[in-house]
């Protein structure tokens, strides 16, 4: 089925038809974490957003190379050009090697992503593994006259660049005010203007992460890594660059300037940004100290949490809002998401256990209905990946499923399979939900265990049905009561029974 996909491009501020440069190949680069602490809810949002985009592009038949970086050097405190490296500071405080810190939190990040059912990227490059490429990038910018050396550091000359191009094309910032206010720095600071940003920083004696370069023993500026690694793995021109909206300025604005200054034209066609997670209207972030880590969510150990929330509840909570809208954290919102997810999974569970029927007096679920549902789900995904609309459509379908289960509607074998396929595709393959709400990891053996548990419960309930048929009420009640004590809710139906686990 051919689909026309519209994506919102931050660069043009409008939805555009997605047309890859080299179809069927798609290059997508997404800014990953700076690994000096556990990932929090704000980190989960871009990971889940671009996981859905990755899944959907592959489903449409594209061969996607998805690059998501690990920042393990060069990201200074407050996203500035001065101060201590975030990872080096953590290493100093904990008396560890910086790479011990980076490796530990990289492993923790991977564990959290697996719990959220986020697929691994095609390539996950580390900034420290690409120092040579970043030095080469700085050389090219210097050679083209858009950077200058100052006391062993190299800075991007924003004013010089803005004479030939437009600094602020992504964010809409006006450079003139910044430049006028920076004149007082002349002769005092290493920079010519406040707006200039570091491409290479000379390491101070106390700085423990540094490499040799033509200018000094130092380290790359934070913005260099993505430009250098994006070009290395996706080429001088590629399709999608993504990340959180908080990266539009300065990080992504600087990336655009670096690419244009080094090669003469823009590197990226579509810039896609997810909005923020907030707490009481304020951005969730480590620098603000108002964050809740994903392990804390999963264990319920943070003081702001009333209880633990499963990874799938977190994923569903994020997908209920469009990726470009703000999501405000609250226990009430998470508990509502938990109930919504359980309702959806209950419907799917019912769908996979009901038998086809053809009651002559009942309204028939038609193939036209299923085809229309499928197309509406596609239309939602094609409209800038509108996951809330997909979820709403699946919720609408749960009413039909429950009507079939209650014998109020009839369904054929063919239509039942088609309806099941729609749920499998959109809820699980594309939205990335798991069929068990509390599943915490992507291990295939975990799914097999869940299936085995279900078969054991079915076997017990079949024995209960036999006991009821033999009027052995004691055995029947005993099985029901024991399952209830374990958290299983059992319902008798016209066709036998249904059950779910309330956890």
């Amino acid at each position: 089925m051919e689909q026309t996909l519209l994506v919102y491009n931050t660069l043009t501020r409008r939805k555009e038809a997605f047309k890859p440069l080299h179809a069927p190949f798609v290059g997508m680069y997404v800014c990953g974490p700076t690994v000096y602490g556990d990932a929090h809810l704000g980190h989960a949002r871009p990971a889940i957003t671009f996981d859905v985009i990755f899944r959907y592009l592959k489903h449409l038949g594209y061969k996607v190379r998805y690059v998501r970086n690990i920042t393990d050097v060069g990201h200074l405190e407050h996203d500035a050009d001065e101060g201590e490296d975030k990872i080096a500071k953590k290493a100093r405080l904990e008396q560890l090697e910086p790479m011990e810190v980076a490796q530990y939190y990289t492993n923790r990040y991977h564990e959290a992503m697996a719990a959220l059912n986020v697929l691994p990227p095609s390539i996950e490059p580390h900034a420290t593994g690409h120092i040579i490429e970043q030095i080469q990038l700085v050389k090219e910018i210097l050679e083209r006259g858009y950077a200058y050396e100052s006391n062993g550091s190299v800075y991007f000359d924003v004013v010089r660049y803005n004479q030939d191009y437009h600094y602020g094309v992504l964010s809409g910032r006006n450079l003139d005010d910044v430049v006028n206010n920076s004149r007082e720095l002349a002769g005092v600071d290493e920079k010519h203007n406040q707006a200039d940003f570091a491409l290479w920083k000379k390491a101070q004696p106390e700085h423990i992460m540094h490499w040799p370069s033509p200018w000094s023993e130092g380290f790359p500026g934070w913005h260099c890594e993505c430009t250098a690694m994006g070009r290395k793995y996706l080429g001088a021109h590629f399709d999608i660059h993504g990340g959180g909206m908080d990266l539009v300025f300065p990080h992504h604005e600087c990336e655009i300037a670096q690419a244009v200054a080094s090669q003469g034209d823009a590197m990226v066609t579509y810039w896609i940004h997810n909005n923020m997670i907030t707490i009481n209207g304020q951005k969730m972030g480590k620098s603000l100290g108002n964050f809740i880590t994903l392990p804390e969510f999963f264990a319920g150990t943070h003081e702001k949490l009333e209880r633990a929330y499963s990874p799938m509840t977190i994923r569903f909570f994020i997908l209920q809002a469009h990726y470009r809208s703000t999501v405000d954290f609250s226990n009430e919102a998470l508990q509502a998401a938990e109930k919504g997810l359980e309702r959806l999974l209950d419907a799917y569970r019912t769908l996979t256990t009901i038998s086809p029927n053809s009651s002559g007096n009942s309204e028939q679920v038609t193939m036209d209905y299923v085809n229309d549902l499928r197309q509406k789900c596609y239309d939602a995904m094609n409209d800038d990946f509108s996951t809330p609309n997909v979820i709403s459509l699946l919720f609408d379908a749960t009413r039909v499923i429950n009507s079939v289960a209650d014998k109020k509607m009839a369904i054929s074998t063919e239509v039942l399979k088609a309806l099941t396929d729609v749920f499998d595709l959109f809820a699980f393959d594309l939205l990335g939900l798991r069929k068990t709400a509390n599943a915490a990891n992507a291990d295939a053996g975990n799914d097999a265990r869940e299936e085995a548990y279900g078969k054991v419960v079915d076997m017990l309930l079949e024995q209960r049905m036999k006991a009821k048929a033999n009027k052995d009420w004691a055995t029947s009640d005993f099985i029901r009561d024991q399952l209830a004590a374990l958290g299983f809710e059992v319902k008798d139906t016209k066709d036998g029974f249904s059950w779910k686990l309330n956890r």
Side-chain angles (χ1 to χ4, degrees):
M1 184 184 299
E2 190 170 336
Q3 305 293 332
T4 301
L5 173 62
L6 296 177
V7 301
Y8 184 87
N9 191 347
T10 308
L11 186 65
T12 60
R13 295 166 179 77
R14 65 174 183 266
K15 292 180 185 178
E16 299 177 354
F18 181 65
K19 297 178 181 179
L21 293 169
H22 306 291
F25 300 98
V26 170
M28 181 168 76
Y29 188 103
V30 176
C31 288
T34 301
V35 284
Y36 69 104
D38 277 328
H40 57 66
L41 193 61
H43 296 120
R45 193 168 197 195
I48 291 170
T49 294
F50 291 97
D51 181 60
V52 170
I53 293 174
F54 183 35
R55 288 167 182 266
Y56 191 57
L57 291 175
K58 289 199 299 179
H59 171 70
L60 293 182
Y62 293 115
K63 300 178 186 296
V64 186
R65 178 177 289 174
Y66 175 18
V67 180
R68 186 185 68 205
N69 67 297
I70 295 290
T71 298
D72 53 3
V73 70
H75 195 169
L76 305 187
E77 293 181 289
H78 312 299
D79 301 345
D81 287 334
E82 301 295 335
E84 195 168 5
D85 184 289
K86 293 182 177 184
I87 293 170
K89 180 179 180 180
K90 186 80 169 182
R92 177 175 57 79
L93 293 174
E94 298 190 5
Q95 296 183 312
L96 297 170
E97 282 290 327
M99 287 301 100
E100 280 186 276
V101 171
Q103 187 64 58
Y104 176 78
Y105 286 112
T106 298
N107 293 344
R108 298 271 290 180
Y109 178 77
H110 289 157
E111 290 168 4
M113 293 304 103
L116 292 168
N117 204 22
V118 169
L119 300 175
S122 313
I123 303 172
E124 191 174 54
H126 291 231
T128 54
H130 297 78
I131 300 297
I132 293 173
E133 289 84 356
Q134 293 176 78
I135 289 174
Q136 180 60 33
L137 174 68
V138 177
K139 286 180 178 178
E140 292 170 5
I141 296 172
L142 275 167
E143 288 167 2
R144 298 192 74 235
Y146 296 110
Y148 56 90
E149 184 180 351
S150 179
N151 297 327
S153 295
V154 180
Y155 292 95
F156 190 96
D157 192 335
V158 172
V159 175
R160 172 72 180 84
Y161 173 84
N162 199 54
Q163 292 171 355
D164 297 336
Y165 303 103
H166 177 202
Y167 182 79
V169 64
L170 185 67
S171 63
R173 299 281 180 117
N174 186 339
L175 184 64
D176 292 339
D177 293 338
V178 177
V179 171
N180 290 334
N181 291 334
S182 69
R183 288 174 180 167
E184 61 192 47
L185 292 176
V188 177
D189 193 88
E190 287 185 347
K191 297 182 183 183
H192 294 173
N193 295 286
Q194 284 179 329
D196 297 347
F197 58 90
L199 298 173
W200 185 265
K201 286 288 293 180
K202 180 180 179 180
Q204 298 303 312
E206 68 273 10
H207 201 98
I208 55 179
M209 300 176 75
H210 50 81
W211 292 262
S213 80
W215 315 287
S216 65
E217 186 80 11
F219 54 92
W222 172 38
H223 310 302
C224 286
E225 61 177 289
C226 294
T227 305
M229 295 190 295
R231 183 163 64 183
K232 178 179 178 67
Y233 295 109
L234 299 175
H237 305 95
F238 59 88
D239 301 297
I240 296 171
H241 195 317
M245 198 170 287
D246 56 321
L247 296 178
V248 170
F249 189 88
H251 188 48
H252 289 166
E253 193 74 76
C254 293
E255 280 193 55
I256 290 175
Q258 288 171 162
V260 174
S262 63
Q263 64 185 37
D265 59 2
M267 188 177 287
V268 179
T269 306
Y270 303 93
W271 286 86
I272 300 177
H273 294 92
N274 63 274
N275 214 321
M276 297 179 293
I277 300 281
T278 59
I279 295 182
N280 298 323
Q282 186 181 41
K283 173 196 167 186
M284 179 181 287
K286 289 179 180 175
S287 60
L288 298 172
N290 65 347
F291 64 95
I292 304 173
T293 69
L294 292 175
E296 287 172 334
F297 271 106
F298 302 158
T301 53
H302 193 280
E303 61 181 9
K304 291 184 182 294
L305 299 175
E306 293 179 2
R307 55 187 171 81
Y309 297 98
S310 75
M312 284 304 97
T313 296
I314 299 296
R315 187 174 181 111
F316 190 75
F317 169 68
I318 288 172
L319 293 177
Q320 277 186 306
H322 191 273
Y323 76 88
R324 287 193 289 113
S325 65
T326 303
V327 175
D328 198 52
F329 156 80
S330 70
N331 281 280
E332 293 77 14
L334 279 170
Q335 288 163 25
E338 188 174 62
K339 290 178 182 177
L341 175 60
E342 190 58 39
R343 177 184 159 202
L344 201 64
L345 295 181
D346 275 348
Y348 180 78
R349 200 175 294 120
T350 300
L351 183 63
T352 58
T353 56
I354 59 178
S355 301
N357 60 74
S358 55
S359 174
N361 297 325
S362 300
E363 181 184 353
Q364 187 81 23
V365 183
T366 65
M367 189 62 79
D368 284 344
Y369 165 78
V370 177
N371 288 338
D372 184 58
L373 172 65
R374 181 189 296 110
Q375 188 56 54
K376 285 179 178 176
C377 288
Y378 271 121
D379 291 343
M381 288 298 292
N382 289 330
D383 186 13
D384 196 28
F385 314 103
S386 184
T387 58
N389 284 350
V390 173
I391 290 170
S392 177
L393 288 162
L394 294 177
F395 274 143
D396 288 343
T398 64
R399 289 193 285 270
V400 173
I401 294 167
N402 291 331
S403 292
V404 171
D406 294 338
K407 304 295 187 183
K408 295 177 182 177
M409 297 185 76
I411 194 166
S412 68
T413 301
E414 182 184 18
V415 174
L416 178 61
K417 182 183 183 306
L419 185 55
T420 305
D421 289 345
V422 169
F423 263 76
D424 280 331
L425 173 60
F426 287 97
F428 307 122
D429 295 347
L430 298 181
L431 296 189
L433 300 172
R434 288 204 184 96
K435 295 176 183 179
T436 303
N438 291 322
N441 61 63
D443 177 41
N446 193 57
D447 292 336
R449 286 191 295 274
E450 293 289 344
E451 184 180 358
Y453 296 152
K455 289 180 178 178
V456 170
V457 175
D458 287 342
M459 181 178 66
L460 283 170
L461 290 174
E462 285 167 5
Q463 293 301 314
R464 178 172 175 265
M465 284 182 65
K466 290 179 181 178
K468 287 177 66 177
N470 294 329
K471 297 185 179 181
D472 183 358
W473 309 119
T475 300
S476 171
D477 292 345
F478 176 77
I479 294 174
R480 182 198 61 204
D481 294 344
Q482 289 298 306
L483 287 173
L486 293 171
F488 291 92
E489 181 181 328
V490 178
K491 289 184 179 180
D492 292 317
T493 67
K494 293 179 181 178
D495 294 325
F497 59 82
S498 67
W499 63 268
K500 68 176 181 178
L501 178 57
N502 295 321
R503 288 185 278 190

